[in-house]
Amino acid sequence: MSHNAAAAVIITCEHGGNRIPRPYAHLFRGARAVLESHRGYDPGTLELAKLFAARLMAPLFASTTSRLLVELNRSLQHRALFSEFTTGLDPAARRQLVESYYLPHRQAVEDCIAESVRTGCGVVHLSVHSF
């Protein structure tokens, strides 16, 4: 890519909320405090990511499902893909979490990047987190 080539900006926010879908709520009984902590999500990042996306006129890919359900910011082989709340699920249930939450997010981001590259643009990926 030359120094004069255009670059597309994409913004992601993998830990924008601490929502637990109803079918998994039983796994998190008594865990309200951890869900509301930094372990459950990155407070304030969704608002910041929306602001960046609006100001930069960039696509935003965000999740409001808690990272404690499945960690969108890890590889499929990562030992911490599932938290202590979901690691004990049977393989079929964990696979369902991956298919329902992890893969759709990752695929949307990858598709957007691939389209930018296909049209000759570089890509700047801004992933919004708090630490």
Side-chain angles (χ1 to χ4, degrees), residues 7-60:
V9 176
I10 68 162
I11 299 167
T12 62
C13 183
E14 289 80 7
H15 307 140
N18 59 0
R19 187 178 64 80
I20 299 297
R22 186 176 310 271
Y24 303 101
H26 69 281
L27 299 172
F28 293 87
R29 279 197 192 103
R32 178 58 37 206
V34 73
L35 284 168
E36 291 177 358
S37 75
H38 186 266
R39 288 191 56 224
Y41 77 119
D42 285 351
T45 57
L46 183 58
E47 294 79 9
L48 185 58
K50 287 178 179 179
L51 179 65
F52 286 155
R55 294 274 172 92
L56 297 171
M57 295 183 290
L60 170 60

Side-chain angles (χ1 to χ4, degrees), residues 20-127:
I20 299 297
R22 186 176 310 271
Y24 303 101
H26 69 281
L27 299 172
F28 293 87
R29 279 197 192 103
R32 178 58 37 206
V34 73
L35 284 168
E36 291 177 358
S37 75
H38 186 266
R39 288 191 56 224
Y41 77 119
D42 285 351
T45 57
L46 183 58
E47 294 79 9
L48 185 58
K50 287 178 179 179
L51 179 65
F52 286 155
R55 294 274 172 92
L56 297 171
M57 295 183 290
L60 170 60
F61 300 92
S63 173
T64 58
T65 303
S66 177
R67 69 190 337 160
L68 295 172
L69 192 67
V70 61
E71 174 58 80
L72 302 180
N73 212 33
R74 307 266 190 243
S75 68
L76 286 173
Q77 297 75 31
H78 197 283
R79 62 178 174 76
L81 180 65
F82 300 102
S83 74
E84 70 270 21
F85 297 96
T86 57
T87 196
L89 292 172
D90 65 60
R94 289 194 312 270
R95 188 169 40 257
Q96 184 62 47
L97 286 174
V98 167
E99 290 172 2
S100 297
Y101 302 97
Y102 181 94
L103 290 178
H105 174 79
R106 297 288 284 237
Q107 193 62 57
V109 173
E110 288 177 16
D111 289 349
C112 185
I113 292 170
E115 179 60 22
S116 291
V117 170
R118 187 189 67 72
T119 61
C121 284
V123 176
V124 174
H125 175 196
L126 176 60
S127 184

